[in-house]
Amino acid sequence: MRLSGQLKSYVGLDASEAGKARDEYSKAVADRCKPRPAIEFEQFPCPEKPSRLLVAINVDPSLSLVGVEVTADKARENYGGEAFVFPIRSGTDARYLEPGQLPMFMTPQIRRVAVMASRIPPGTVVYFRNTGWRFEFLEVCEEENVLRFREPVTPKPRDVNLPLDRVLSVYQGADGEWMMVIETLH
């Protein structure tokens, strides 16, 4: 239940309602998402009423954009065929890409870098193999085409933005350390 944009309480479901919610969500993803993302469901007891259930839907990150089919109103838009929007997660909200932003997301390399970098926990120090730099990872900002970092402990730490298209590789080493290789400018 929401009140003024803030979550006030959870409304749990009984077992049959939880099953129906999972089925309906699964059907909506199958019918309306292209390509179809991988989803998993989890159930938890409702904090307010442990006899009722909360259903969580986990959507795996995707290396390609996932379009969601929306209804096109023929009478109003003069088009009644398939139409798609492209939501991008931004914190707890979804933003929709504008037509001019779509080309940025169509490069598989940039999508791969964004997905891999999104697995780095915020606050983790990332080692840049080909430069020797170490920066604290803050976040992936796909809409702005950047990875945000903070300089390590210095008298005046500053935030640094790195364009996604300058990153050649993101990976976790055998020792668990996150590393990047970037294109350097000469």
Side-chain angles (χ1 to χ4, degrees), residues 43-81:
Q43 289 185 172
F44 302 96
C46 180
E48 285 84 8
K49 286 187 175 180
S51 63
R52 297 188 58 84
L53 301 169
L54 299 179
V55 177
I57 298 125
N58 298 312
V59 182
D60 289 347
S62 173
L63 293 178
S64 60
L65 285 177
V66 174
V68 178
E69 187 176 353
V70 294
T71 304
D73 182 354
K74 179 139 177 97
R76 192 168 153 221
E77 302 295 335
N78 202 25
Y79 177 76

mmCIF file of all heavy atoms in Angstrom, residues 43-81:
data_model
loop_
_atom_site.group_PDB
_atom_site.id
_atom_site.type_symbol
_atom_site.label_atom_id
_atom_site.label_comp_id
_atom_site.label_asym_id
_atom_site.label_seq_id
_atom_site.Cartn_x
_atom_site.Cartn_y
_atom_site.Cartn_z
ATOM 1 N N GLN A 43 8.927 -16.255 -2.629
ATOM 2 C CA GLN A 43 7.825 -15.906 -1.731
ATOM 3 C C GLN A 43 8.371 -15.726 -0.330
ATOM 4 O O GLN A 43 9.266 -16.449 0.089
ATOM 5 C CB GLN A 43 6.767 -17.015 -1.716
ATOM 6 C CG GLN A 43 5.995 -17.111 -2.973
ATOM 7 C CD GLN A 43 4.872 -18.137 -2.902
ATOM 8 O OE1 GLN A 43 4.104 -18.179 -3.808
ATOM 9 N NE2 GLN A 43 4.758 -18.943 -1.877
ATOM 10 N N PHE A 44 7.825 -14.746 0.372
ATOM 11 C CA PHE A 44 8.230 -14.454 1.741
ATOM 12 C C PHE A 44 6.980 -14.234 2.580
ATOM 13 O O PHE A 44 5.977 -13.749 2.063
ATOM 14 C CB PHE A 44 9.081 -13.174 1.791
ATOM 15 C CG PHE A 44 10.302 -13.236 0.946
ATOM 16 C CD1 PHE A 44 10.294 -12.710 -0.345
ATOM 17 C CD2 PHE A 44 11.462 -13.823 1.412
ATOM 18 C CE1 PHE A 44 11.424 -12.759 -1.137
ATOM 19 C CE2 PHE A 44 12.598 -13.884 0.620
ATOM 20 C CZ PHE A 44 12.583 -13.354 -0.645
ATOM 21 N N PRO A 45 7.049 -14.543 3.870
ATOM 22 C CA PRO A 45 5.915 -14.214 4.741
ATOM 23 C C PRO A 45 5.759 -12.694 4.824
ATOM 24 O O PRO A 45 6.741 -11.963 4.873
ATOM 25 C CB PRO A 45 6.308 -14.787 6.105
ATOM 26 C CG PRO A 45 7.490 -15.667 5.860
ATOM 27 C CD PRO A 45 8.113 -15.246 4.580
ATOM 28 N N CYS A 46 4.533 -12.232 4.832
ATOM 29 C CA CYS A 46 4.234 -10.807 4.943
ATOM 30 C C CYS A 46 4.617 -10.337 6.349
ATOM 31 O O CYS A 46 4.221 -10.974 7.332
ATOM 32 C CB CYS A 46 2.741 -10.584 4.691
ATOM 33 S SG CYS A 46 2.255 -8.852 4.791
ATOM 34 N N PRO A 47 5.391 -9.251 6.490
ATOM 35 C CA PRO A 47 5.800 -8.798 7.827
ATOM 36 C C PRO A 47 4.621 -8.483 8.747
ATOM 37 O O PRO A 47 4.674 -8.774 9.937
ATOM 38 C CB PRO A 47 6.610 -7.523 7.558
ATOM 39 C CG PRO A 47 7.035 -7.620 6.141
ATOM 40 C CD PRO A 47 5.971 -8.421 5.441
ATOM 41 N N GLU A 48 3.537 -7.903 8.206
ATOM 42 C CA GLU A 48 2.391 -7.547 9.031
ATOM 43 C C GLU A 48 1.497 -8.746 9.347
ATOM 44 O O GLU A 48 0.862 -8.788 10.380
ATOM 45 C CB GLU A 48 1.543 -6.447 8.365
ATOM 46 C CG GLU A 48 2.162 -5.059 8.432
ATOM 47 C CD GLU A 48 3.169 -4.811 7.300
ATOM 48 O OE1 GLU A 48 3.281 -5.651 6.380
ATOM 49 O OE2 GLU A 48 3.856 -3.781 7.358
ATOM 50 N N LYS A 49 1.413 -9.690 8.393
ATOM 51 C CA LYS A 49 0.568 -10.882 8.562
ATOM 52 C C LYS A 49 1.343 -12.090 8.055
ATOM 53 O O LYS A 49 1.247 -12.443 6.878
ATOM 54 C CB LYS A 49 -0.726 -10.741 7.765
ATOM 55 C CG LYS A 49 -1.721 -9.791 8.344
ATOM 56 C CD LYS A 49 -3.019 -9.874 7.556
ATOM 57 C CE LYS A 49 -4.077 -9.007 8.199
ATOM 58 N NZ LYS A 49 -5.325 -9.068 7.474
ATOM 59 N N PRO A 50 2.131 -12.759 8.907
ATOM 60 C CA PRO A 50 2.962 -13.878 8.454
ATOM 61 C C PRO A 50 2.196 -15.032 7.807
ATOM 62 O O PRO A 50 2.774 -15.840 7.089
ATOM 63 C CB PRO A 50 3.667 -14.342 9.735
ATOM 64 C CG PRO A 50 3.637 -13.152 10.641
ATOM 65 C CD PRO A 50 2.371 -12.411 10.301
ATOM 66 N N SER A 51 0.886 -15.084 7.999
ATOM 67 C CA SER A 51 0.103 -16.149 7.352
ATOM 68 C C SER A 51 -0.121 -15.834 5.870
ATOM 69 O O SER A 51 -0.560 -16.688 5.108
ATOM 70 C CB SER A 51 -1.243 -16.329 8.056
ATOM 71 O OG SER A 51 -2.018 -15.141 7.927
ATOM 72 N N ARG A 52 0.158 -14.607 5.451
ATOM 73 C CA ARG A 52 0.007 -14.202 4.049
ATOM 74 C C ARG A 52 1.387 -14.107 3.415
ATOM 75 O O ARG A 52 2.396 -14.126 4.099
ATOM 76 C CB ARG A 52 -0.768 -12.888 3.968
ATOM 77 C CG ARG A 52 -2.199 -13.118 4.532
ATOM 78 C CD ARG A 52 -3.176 -12.019 4.375
ATOM 79 N NE ARG A 52 -3.496 -11.510 3.070
ATOM 80 C CZ ARG A 52 -4.392 -12.035 2.237
ATOM 81 N NH1 ARG A 52 -5.017 -13.147 2.538
ATOM 82 N NH2 ARG A 52 -4.666 -11.443 1.093
ATOM 83 N N LEU A 53 1.429 -14.005 2.099
ATOM 84 C CA LEU A 53 2.695 -14.076 1.368
ATOM 85 C C LEU A 53 2.965 -12.812 0.561
ATOM 86 O O LEU A 53 2.037 -12.161 0.078
ATOM 87 C CB LEU A 53 2.660 -15.262 0.396
ATOM 88 C CG LEU A 53 2.442 -16.632 1.011
ATOM 89 C CD1 LEU A 53 2.158 -17.660 -0.077
ATOM 90 C CD2 LEU A 53 3.662 -17.039 1.821
ATOM 91 N N LEU A 54 4.251 -12.510 0.402
ATOM 92 C CA LEU A 54 4.707 -11.485 -0.540
ATOM 93 C C LEU A 54 5.401 -12.230 -1.676
ATOM 94 O O LEU A 54 6.140 -13.181 -1.444
ATOM 95 C CB LEU A 54 5.703 -10.531 0.113
ATOM 96 C CG LEU A 54 5.200 -9.734 1.300
ATOM 97 C CD1 LEU A 54 6.314 -8.855 1.848
ATOM 98 C CD2 LEU A 54 4.009 -8.881 0.907
ATOM 99 N N VAL A 55 5.162 -11.813 -2.902
ATOM 100 C CA VAL A 55 5.803 -12.430 -4.063
ATOM 101 C C VAL A 55 6.829 -11.446 -4.608
ATOM 102 O O VAL A 55 6.497 -10.299 -4.904
ATOM 103 C CB VAL A 55 4.776 -12.786 -5.162
ATOM 104 C CG1 VAL A 55 5.461 -13.348 -6.390
ATOM 105 C CG2 VAL A 55 3.744 -13.774 -4.623
ATOM 106 N N ALA A 56 8.083 -11.897 -4.702
ATOM 107 C CA ALA A 56 9.154 -11.078 -5.293
ATOM 108 C C ALA A 56 9.470 -11.633 -6.666
ATOM 109 O O ALA A 56 9.550 -12.854 -6.849
ATOM 110 C CB ALA A 56 10.387 -11.113 -4.404
ATOM 111 N N ILE A 57 9.650 -10.734 -7.628
ATOM 112 C CA ILE A 57 9.987 -11.139 -8.989
ATOM 113 C C ILE A 57 11.378 -10.601 -9.286
ATOM 114 O O ILE A 57 11.589 -9.388 -9.273
ATOM 115 C CB ILE A 57 8.976 -10.592 -10.012
ATOM 116 C CG1 ILE A 57 7.588 -11.154 -9.706
ATOM 117 C CG2 ILE A 57 9.383 -10.966 -11.425
ATOM 118 C CD1 ILE A 57 6.556 -10.121 -9.515
ATOM 119 N N ASN A 58 12.329 -11.501 -9.510
ATOM 120 C CA ASN A 58 13.697 -11.114 -9.833
ATOM 121 C C ASN A 58 13.888 -11.231 -11.336
ATOM 122 O O ASN A 58 13.606 -12.275 -11.922
ATOM 123 C CB ASN A 58 14.698 -12.014 -9.102
ATOM 124 C CG ASN A 58 14.568 -11.882 -7.594
ATOM 125 O OD1 ASN A 58 14.516 -10.787 -7.074
ATOM 126 N ND2 ASN A 58 14.492 -13.007 -6.913
ATOM 127 N N VAL A 59 14.362 -10.154 -11.950
ATOM 128 C CA VAL A 59 14.610 -10.131 -13.386
ATOM 129 C C VAL A 59 16.118 -10.045 -13.582
ATOM 130 O O VAL A 59 16.755 -9.100 -13.120
ATOM 131 C CB VAL A 59 13.917 -8.926 -14.058
ATOM 132 C CG1 VAL A 59 14.152 -8.937 -15.559
ATOM 133 C CG2 VAL A 59 12.434 -8.916 -13.734
ATOM 134 N N ASP A 60 16.686 -11.049 -14.254
ATOM 135 C CA ASP A 60 18.125 -11.052 -14.497
ATOM 136 C C ASP A 60 18.514 -9.915 -15.426
ATOM 137 O O ASP A 60 17.759 -9.562 -16.339
ATOM 138 C CB ASP A 60 18.565 -12.378 -15.136
ATOM 139 C CG ASP A 60 18.513 -13.543 -14.162
ATOM 140 O OD1 ASP A 60 18.386 -13.303 -12.946
ATOM 141 O OD2 ASP A 60 18.612 -14.688 -14.618
ATOM 142 N N PRO A 61 19.732 -9.337 -15.224
ATOM 143 C CA PRO A 61 20.205 -8.322 -16.167
ATOM 144 C C PRO A 61 20.310 -8.926 -17.562
ATOM 145 O O PRO A 61 20.552 -10.126 -17.713
ATOM 146 C CB PRO A 61 21.595 -7.950 -15.639
ATOM 147 C CG PRO A 61 21.656 -8.478 -14.265
ATOM 148 C CD PRO A 61 20.682 -9.603 -14.170
ATOM 149 N N SER A 62 20.147 -8.110 -18.564
ATOM 150 C CA SER A 62 20.177 -8.572 -19.938
ATOM 151 C C SER A 62 21.227 -7.806 -20.723
ATOM 152 O O SER A 62 21.432 -6.615 -20.485
ATOM 153 C CB SER A 62 18.804 -8.364 -20.577
ATOM 154 O OG SER A 62 18.847 -8.651 -21.946
ATOM 155 N N LEU A 63 21.899 -8.498 -21.643
ATOM 156 C CA LEU A 63 22.878 -7.827 -22.483
ATOM 157 C C LEU A 63 22.216 -7.079 -23.633
ATOM 158 O O LEU A 63 22.855 -6.326 -24.344
ATOM 159 C CB LEU A 63 23.889 -8.834 -23.041
ATOM 160 C CG LEU A 63 24.797 -9.456 -21.988
ATOM 161 C CD1 LEU A 63 25.731 -10.459 -22.628
ATOM 162 C CD2 LEU A 63 25.587 -8.395 -21.257
ATOM 163 N N SER A 64 20.941 -7.295 -23.834
ATOM 164 C CA SER A 64 20.243 -6.547 -24.876
ATOM 165 C C SER A 64 19.056 -5.824 -24.241
ATOM 166 O O SER A 64 18.593 -6.192 -23.172
ATOM 167 C CB SER A 64 19.755 -7.496 -25.979
ATOM 168 O OG SER A 64 18.876 -8.449 -25.445
ATOM 169 N N LEU A 65 18.599 -4.798 -24.908
ATOM 170 C CA LEU A 65 17.421 -4.091 -24.419
ATOM 171 C C LEU A 65 16.210 -5.001 -24.497
ATOM 172 O O LEU A 65 16.070 -5.771 -25.441
ATOM 173 C CB LEU A 65 17.152 -2.862 -25.278
ATOM 174 C CG LEU A 65 18.061 -1.669 -25.066
ATOM 175 C CD1 LEU A 65 17.709 -0.565 -26.052
ATOM 176 C CD2 LEU A 65 17.940 -1.149 -23.654
ATOM 177 N N VAL A 66 15.350 -4.901 -23.526
ATOM 178 C CA VAL A 66 14.100 -5.653 -23.532
ATOM 179 C C VAL A 66 12.985 -4.655 -23.787
ATOM 180 O O VAL A 66 12.802 -3.698 -23.031
ATOM 181 C CB VAL A 66 13.881 -6.393 -22.200
ATOM 182 C CG1 VAL A 66 12.507 -7.054 -22.172
ATOM 183 C CG2 VAL A 66 14.984 -7.418 -21.970
ATOM 184 N N GLY A 67 12.269 -4.866 -24.888
ATOM 185 C CA GLY A 67 11.130 -4.017 -25.215
ATOM 186 C C GLY A 67 9.868 -4.568 -24.592
ATOM 187 O O GLY A 67 9.679 -5.782 -24.512
ATOM 188 N N VAL A 68 9.008 -3.674 -24.107
ATOM 189 C CA VAL A 68 7.728 -4.077 -23.522
ATOM 190 C C VAL A 68 6.628 -3.551 -24.434
ATOM 191 O O VAL A 68 6.543 -2.346 -24.696
ATOM 192 C CB VAL A 68 7.561 -3.513 -22.094
ATOM 193 C CG1 VAL A 68 6.196 -3.908 -21.527
ATOM 194 C CG2 VAL A 68 8.690 -3.998 -21.194
ATOM 195 N N GLU A 69 5.804 -4.481 -24.919
ATOM 196 C CA GLU A 69 4.725 -4.101 -25.825
ATOM 197 C C GLU A 69 3.661 -3.313 -25.072
ATOM 198 O O GLU A 69 3.248 -3.687 -23.976
ATOM 199 C CB GLU A 69 4.100 -5.335 -26.452
ATOM 200 C CG GLU A 69 3.082 -5.017 -27.518
ATOM 201 C CD GLU A 69 2.547 -6.263 -28.210
ATOM 202 O OE1 GLU A 69 3.055 -7.367 -27.960
ATOM 203 O OE2 GLU A 69 1.606 -6.108 -28.994
ATOM 204 N N VAL A 70 3.249 -2.204 -25.675
ATOM 205 C CA VAL A 70 2.179 -1.385 -25.105
ATOM 206 C C VAL A 70 1.059 -1.281 -26.129
ATOM 207 O O VAL A 70 1.260 -1.528 -27.316
ATOM 208 C CB VAL A 70 2.681 0.021 -24.701
ATOM 209 C CG1 VAL A 70 3.674 -0.067 -23.563
ATOM 210 C CG2 VAL A 70 3.272 0.754 -25.878
ATOM 211 N N THR A 71 -0.114 -0.928 -25.675
ATOM 212 C CA THR A 71 -1.263 -0.809 -26.557
ATOM 213 C C THR A 71 -1.186 0.482 -27.356
ATOM 214 O O THR A 71 -0.986 1.555 -26.797
ATOM 215 C CB THR A 71 -2.558 -0.813 -25.729
ATOM 216 O OG1 THR A 71 -2.578 -2.003 -24.946
ATOM 217 C CG2 THR A 71 -3.778 -0.765 -26.608
ATOM 218 N N ALA A 72 -1.316 0.347 -28.652
ATOM 219 C CA ALA A 72 -1.367 1.531 -29.517
ATOM 220 C C ALA A 72 -2.835 1.774 -29.864
ATOM 221 O O ALA A 72 -3.519 0.881 -30.349
ATOM 222 C CB ALA A 72 -0.545 1.296 -30.783
ATOM 223 N N ASP A 73 -3.309 2.965 -29.596
ATOM 224 C CA ASP A 73 -4.705 3.324 -29.821
ATOM 225 C C ASP A 73 -4.876 3.818 -31.259
ATOM 226 O O ASP A 73 -4.499 4.938 -31.591
ATOM 227 C CB ASP A 73 -5.108 4.406 -28.818
ATOM 228 C CG ASP A 73 -6.566 4.814 -28.924
ATOM 229 O OD1 ASP A 73 -7.276 4.353 -29.861
ATOM 230 O OD2 ASP A 73 -7.009 5.592 -28.069
ATOM 231 N N LYS A 74 -5.451 2.952 -32.127
ATOM 232 C CA LYS A 74 -5.598 3.277 -33.547
ATOM 233 C C LYS A 74 -6.409 4.549 -33.751
ATOM 234 O O LYS A 74 -6.047 5.398 -34.571
ATOM 235 C CB LYS A 74 -6.235 2.111 -34.302
ATOM 236 C CG LYS A 74 -6.417 2.417 -35.774
ATOM 237 C CD LYS A 74 -6.063 1.229 -36.613
ATOM 238 C CE LYS A 74 -6.315 1.481 -38.066
ATOM 239 N NZ LYS A 74 -5.164 1.892 -38.803
ATOM 240 N N ALA A 75 -7.490 4.720 -33.002
ATOM 241 C CA ALA A 75 -8.347 5.893 -33.175
ATOM 242 C C ALA A 75 -7.594 7.184 -32.837
ATOM 243 O O ALA A 75 -7.777 8.205 -33.480
ATOM 244 C CB ALA A 75 -9.586 5.768 -32.292
ATOM 245 N N ARG A 76 -6.736 7.116 -31.853
ATOM 246 C CA ARG A 76 -6.033 8.320 -31.405
ATOM 247 C C ARG A 76 -4.705 8.522 -32.117
ATOM 248 O O ARG A 76 -4.319 9.639 -32.432
ATOM 249 C CB ARG A 76 -5.802 8.194 -29.896
ATOM 250 C CG ARG A 76 -5.348 9.455 -29.270
ATOM 251 C CD ARG A 76 -5.409 9.364 -27.752
ATOM 252 N NE ARG A 76 -4.399 10.274 -27.264
ATOM 253 C CZ ARG A 76 -3.596 10.040 -26.268
ATOM 254 N NH1 ARG A 76 -3.675 8.923 -25.610
ATOM 255 N NH2 ARG A 76 -2.723 10.925 -25.899
ATOM 256 N N GLU A 77 -3.969 7.438 -32.357
ATOM 257 C CA GLU A 77 -2.617 7.534 -32.910
ATOM 258 C C GLU A 77 -2.544 7.189 -34.397
ATOM 259 O O GLU A 77 -1.470 7.267 -34.983
ATOM 260 C CB GLU A 77 -1.679 6.603 -32.133
ATOM 261 C CG GLU A 77 -1.614 6.877 -30.641
ATOM 262 C CD GLU A 77 -1.027 8.232 -30.316
ATOM 263 O OE1 GLU A 77 -0.251 8.775 -31.122
ATOM 264 O OE2 GLU A 77 -1.361 8.769 -29.246
ATOM 265 N N ASN A 78 -3.637 6.703 -34.975
ATOM 266 C CA ASN A 78 -3.672 6.258 -36.362
ATOM 267 C C ASN A 78 -2.739 5.072 -36.605
ATOM 268 O O ASN A 78 -2.247 4.860 -37.703
ATOM 269 C CB ASN A 78 -3.370 7.407 -37.336
ATOM 270 C CG ASN A 78 -3.924 7.115 -38.721
ATOM 271 O OD1 ASN A 78 -4.882 6.355 -38.868
ATOM 272 N ND2 ASN A 78 -3.315 7.708 -39.726
ATOM 273 N N TYR A 79 -2.462 4.334 -35.536
ATOM 274 C CA TYR A 79 -1.631 3.129 -35.628
ATOM 275 C C TYR A 79 -2.098 2.175 -34.546
ATOM 276 O O TYR A 79 -2.193 2.551 -33.381
ATOM 277 C CB TYR A 79 -0.144 3.469 -35.430
ATOM 278 C CG TYR A 79 0.743 2.249 -35.447
ATOM 279 C CD1 TYR A 79 1.054 1.622 -36.644
ATOM 280 C CD2 TYR A 79 1.245 1.710 -34.272
ATOM 281 C CE1 TYR A 79 1.851 0.492 -36.678
ATOM 282 C CE2 TYR A 79 2.046 0.587 -34.289
ATOM 283 C CZ TYR A 79 2.353 -0.014 -35.492
ATOM 284 O OH TYR A 79 3.146 -1.132 -35.521
ATOM 285 N N GLY A 80 -2.386 0.946 -34.921
ATOM 286 C CA GLY A 80 -2.890 -0.005 -33.937
ATOM 287 C C GLY A 80 -2.063 -1.269 -33.846
ATOM 288 O O GLY A 80 -2.490 -2.241 -33.247
ATOM 289 N N GLY A 81 -0.867 -1.271 -34.446
ATOM 290 C CA GLY A 81 -0.011 -2.461 -34.409
ATOM 291 C C GLY A 81 0.838 -2.514 -33.151
ATOM 292 O O GLY A 81 0.603 -1.793 -32.180
#
